[in-house]
Amino acid sequence: MPKQQKRSGVGGWLFLALVLIGYGLSFLLNPELTTDALTFFRRVIQQVLPVLGIVFLFLFIANFLLTPTKVKHYLGKESGLKGWVASIVTGIFSMGPIYAWYAVLAELQKEGMRAALIATFLYSRAVKLPLLPLMIYYFGLTYTSVLCLYLVVFSVIQGLLIDRLMPHKT
Amino acid sequence: MQKESHLKKSLLKTIRAFINILPIIVGMLLATSLVVTLFPEEISTGLFGNGVIPDAMLGATIGSIAAGHPLASYLLGGELLSGGVSLIAVTALLVTWVTVGIVQLPAEALMLGTRFAVYRNFISFGIAIIIAFLTVYTLQFLGAA
């Protein structure tokens, strides 16, 4: 197993251990509230489980189809305009909780995906296609259209800012 | 033969990556559940009304801390609007809800790097406030607000 992967694995378990310690402390201070939090967790994990299946599938597809050359071509330094368009479109169409996508993006990052395009992907996820009808219901069509347009525009601006701030890998 | 080996290699790589992310996802969900339970919606409603910019900052802060389904932000945003909170503050809340993740920050840092995660969330916070003002001013310009 590569050293980096081993380290991130340990980091994940440490994170989980810290959260569990937090729960332990919370239980000592307020057992009722902690029980409520655990009930909430049980409900959320039931909703997230099917999404994890999709994440596994996406990870597999990414590992099977994407080679460093391909990633560098579409989302790497030389990807140009098609890289930006690909990040926005895939970001908008990506489903499920954001943290589930970190794993897919981390794999792509290892294969040469630009930090700018990862930032653009993550920001354009703010346009939630399946929830648009509900947003229109609550805030109106004009508001939703204007907000979504700005979200897409600023996803590129964020990518450009990240591009300037992050060191470039050679 | 070569294709079969590539398939097997990809599957093993995927399983390894998946095992690595599982504790992060479970930890993230546990942390989110605790935060959501600790800060119920009623607390946030009484905090606004201190001017457009402080309200926008507050909206953006609540959205950054809150974690959960975006639908919850629509419900909270709708309630805040009907409670007299400005559309700018509500928009800042809606945008940071889906673009900034204080609770997810440790997971994002672990997976994508600390520097990237901190910069991304910091920039997203600033952008959310800009978007909130731009959206409301555009709506006013269009005569829809």
Side-chain angles (χ1 to χ4, degrees), chain A residues 1 5 9 23 33 37 41 45 52 60 63-64 99 102-103 106 109 111 115 122-123 138 143 150 158, chain B residues 6 10 13-14 16 20-21 25 28-30 33 37-38 75 91 108 111-112 116 120 124 127 138-139:
Chain A
M1 197 184 286
Q5 214 168 1
Y23 261 82
L33 191 127
F41 167 74
I45 196 95
L52 289 180
F60 177 69
N63 281 326
F64 186 69
Y99 45 86
Y102 295 152
Q109 193 182 42
E111 305 287 341
L122 289 172
Y123 207 88
Y138 280 108
Y143 175 87
Y150 280 129
Q158 193 189 45
Chain B
H6 178 57
S10 306
K13 201 177 165 191
T14 308
R16 267 204 309 265
N20 279 341
I21 63 158
I25 291 175
M28 232 299 301
L29 289 177
L30 278 165
S33 305
T37 320
L38 278 170
L75 295 168
T91 307
E108 184 175 348
M111 305 297 277
L112 299 170
F116 174 85
R120 195 193 72 76
S124 295
I127 285 178
T138 307
L139 287 172

Side-chain angles (χ1 to χ4, degrees), chain A residues 34-168:
Chain A
T34 315
T35 314
D36 286 349
L38 283 171
T39 312
F40 187 87
F41 167 74
R42 202 181 58 199
R43 218 173 41 234
V44 175
I45 196 95
Q46 280 168 349
Q47 291 168 351
V48 168
L49 274 177
V51 179
L52 289 180
I54 298 169
V55 170
F56 186 88
L57 187 72
F58 275 119
L59 277 174
F60 177 69
I61 292 169
N63 281 326
F64 186 69
L65 293 178
L66 298 175
T67 60
T69 328
K70 274 186 193 164
V71 174
K72 273 173 197 151
H73 179 67
Y74 286 105
L75 300 164
K77 216 187 267 180
E78 311 297 326
S79 59
L81 184 67
K82 61 178 176 292
W84 293 99
V85 176
S87 308
I88 294 168
V89 174
T90 49
I92 291 172
F93 280 92
S94 63
M95 297 170 298
I98 195 166
Y99 45 86
W101 282 94
Y102 295 152
V104 178
L105 293 170
E107 288 291 307
L108 293 173
Q109 193 182 42
K110 274 183 230 161
E111 305 287 341
M113 184 175 181
R114 288 170 64 181
L117 298 183
I118 294 177
T120 300
F121 172 91
L122 289 172
Y123 207 88
S124 56
R125 274 178 50 84
V127 180
K128 302 279 177 197
L129 273 188
L131 295 179
L132 282 185
L134 280 162
M135 197 180 209
I136 292 168
Y137 173 77
Y138 280 108
F139 303 101
L141 178 64
T142 318
Y143 175 87
T144 306
S145 311
V146 171
L147 181 61
C148 289
L149 182 75
Y150 280 129
L151 286 172
V152 170
V153 171
F154 276 91
S155 72
V156 177
I157 293 172
Q158 193 189 45
L160 293 170
L161 287 171
I162 288 284
D163 206 36
R164 296 206 120 208
L165 290 167
M166 293 295 290
H168 287 269

Side-chain angles (χ1 to χ4, degrees), chain A residues 12-31:
Chain A
W13 291 108
L14 267 174
F15 172 62
L16 180 61
L18 279 173
V19 174
L20 290 173
I21 290 168
Y23 261 82
L25 290 172
S26 166
F27 190 79
L28 288 174
L29 294 168
N30 194 335

